[in-house]
Amino acid sequence: MNELTSGIVRSAVWDLIKKGTSVTKDFLKNKLSNWILDDKSLDKICKYINNTPDVYLKSEGLLKEYINIDEEIQKALEFAKYIKPTVSQNIGVVNGNVFGNIEGDVINNYNNSQKPKETNNSTYYLTDRFNEYCPIQIVKSYDVTRDICNIENESNGPVIKAKITMPEKVKQLPGCQFAMILLSFTPFINLENYYDENYNLEFSLDTSQSIKLVQFQIKNVQQSQFIDFLLENKHHIIPLAKMSSRDSWKEIKEICFTVFADDRYITDEIGYIKISGLRLTK
């Protein structure tokens, strides 16, 4: 990444904020030492983070959402520049990357989590790694508890079933309230080979009448949301190459199906979502 993402800022300040300590410019400058950011921008970020509404201080995830939607913070981050770390002339390994002795260039050897997943010319179900010990969760901005999605095997593959609750009072809360089905990949997955071999993302979406819209989002390890669009109730077959560039598919951390606390998305307090056969196909 050549720009500073809100996810990195959130990670840098969360431990401080949850202790009730204010974020200072010097603290932020130290934490973000790999980025060039002018004092005016640092002051602005500190000001707005220290004035985060209480509703967004319940969890690190909520703080991330606040940073994502705050226009002043986003403007301050827009022109941050990444500084490529320097390395010694001896060959060594840093964070799984092998470094050589020519101008500090990185030789692109992947560690286990970064290595592109082999396609084997077959279908890959994105639900394969999830089970009762590593569940697909329902994350709610207005509640610290997380519900668990059911995964059932049907004729067209694994099916994710989720109950979405959106109390009417939540719609009156400030900020961007939501409930999302979250597939979190730890470690992240590298899908570059699927991009190269012209794979599609394929799945069917069915919702109850109360759910009118669902937002589909894919995020990388920096929490950068590089896929973000509305879904219709139908069978979807979307080429990876049409959704984003090859580099985007290197570090997939989260896949989300989000319902926002807005009558355009949900018209009742309870709704249901069914996602069938979420997979990569040729």
Side-chain angles (χ1 to χ4, degrees):
M1 298 292 293
N2 60 6
E3 61 182 21
L4 183 57
T5 69
S6 53
I8 294 171
V9 174
R10 175 260 306 160
S11 296
V13 304
W14 171 243
D15 285 339
L16 203 62
I17 287 179
K18 70 182 181 181
K19 295 175 184 177
T21 306
S22 295
V23 177
T24 66
K25 181 171 67 176
D26 287 341
F27 171 85
L28 202 58
K29 185 180 293 187
N30 180 61
K31 284 291 185 180
L32 306 176
S33 58
N34 280 343
W35 280 265
I36 298 175
L37 203 60
D38 61 74
D39 285 351
K40 183 178 179 180
S41 295
L42 286 167
D43 286 334
K44 184 178 290 187
I45 293 170
C46 290
K47 173 185 175 182
Y48 285 96
I49 286 180
N50 287 329
N51 289 322
T52 301
D54 289 343
V55 67
Y56 290 104
L57 297 178
K58 295 179 181 179
S59 71
E60 188 175 353
L62 286 177
L63 176 62
K64 178 193 72 178
E65 293 301 325
Y66 171 72
I67 293 173
N68 281 340
I69 64 175
D70 190 283
E71 292 184 1
E72 294 301 324
I73 294 177
Q74 292 303 314
K75 287 177 183 177
L77 297 178
E78 186 176 355
F79 299 106
K81 299 298 181 183
Y82 179 68
I83 308 170
K84 184 176 181 180
T86 58
V87 297
S88 68
Q89 293 201 354
N90 295 322
I91 294 177
V93 178
V94 179
N95 292 334
N97 291 311
V98 180
F99 290 83
N101 61 354
I102 303 176
E103 299 180 356
D105 286 340
V106 176
I107 303 170
N108 284 325
N109 286 0
Y110 296 98
N111 62 26
N112 287 338
S113 62
Q114 292 174 317
K115 186 177 180 181
K117 180 176 173 59
E118 296 294 339
T119 69
N120 297 316
N121 204 35
S122 60
T123 296
Y124 172 46
Y125 282 93
L126 291 162
T127 50
D128 279 354
R129 68 168 61 191
F130 297 96
N131 53 46
E132 61 180 309
Y133 305 106
C134 179
I136 296 173
Q137 301 180 346
I138 301 174
V139 179
K140 294 164 285 188
S141 63
Y142 54 88
D143 193 338
V144 295
T145 62
R146 296 190 175 192
D147 299 327
I148 304 301
C149 291
N150 294 323
I151 304 178
E152 300 176 5
N153 288 314
E154 297 186 2
S155 57
N156 57 344
V159 175
I160 303 167
K161 295 183 178 180
K163 177 182 177 182
I164 301 296
T165 56
M166 194 66 68
E168 189 60 35
K169 63 181 181 180
V170 170
K171 295 183 179 181
Q172 311 307 319
L173 293 176
C176 180
Q177 304 301 327
F178 62 89
M180 74 163 61
I181 299 170
L182 172 65
L183 287 77
S184 180
F185 297 90
T186 303
F188 63 80
I189 52 174
N190 185 326
L191 300 178
E192 289 175 313
N193 284 339
Y194 289 85
Y195 179 96
D196 292 340
E197 297 180 30
N198 300 314
Y199 269 71
N200 304 306
L201 177 67
E202 185 171 356
F203 62 93
S204 293
L205 177 71
D206 294 295
T207 67
S208 60
Q209 287 188 345
S210 59
I211 295 181
K212 304 300 182 183
L213 296 173
V214 176
Q215 201 83 14
F216 180 66
Q217 302 161 323
I218 302 181
K219 304 175 185 180
N220 60 21
V221 291
Q222 287 85 25
Q223 291 296 306
S224 177
Q225 200 164 273
F226 68 93
I227 301 292
D228 188 6
F229 59 84
L230 288 170
L231 292 174
E232 298 178 7
N233 268 10
K234 67 176 187 179
H235 186 72
H236 297 267
I237 303 178
I238 315 168
L240 298 188
K242 282 194 174 182
M243 285 192 285
S244 191
S245 64
R246 183 181 190 275
D247 286 347
S248 302
W249 300 101
K250 183 178 180 180
E251 300 174 336
I252 305 302
K253 181 63 177 176
E254 295 181 359
I255 297 177
C256 312
F257 295 83
T258 306
V259 175
F260 291 100
D262 187 303
D263 285 340
R264 292 172 299 172
Y265 285 84
I266 183 168
T267 57
D268 204 345
E269 294 195 349
I270 297 176
Y272 296 89
I273 293 178
K274 178 180 177 182
I275 305 159
S276 304
L278 181 62
R279 61 198 185 273
L280 299 177
T281 58
K282 294 203 79 170

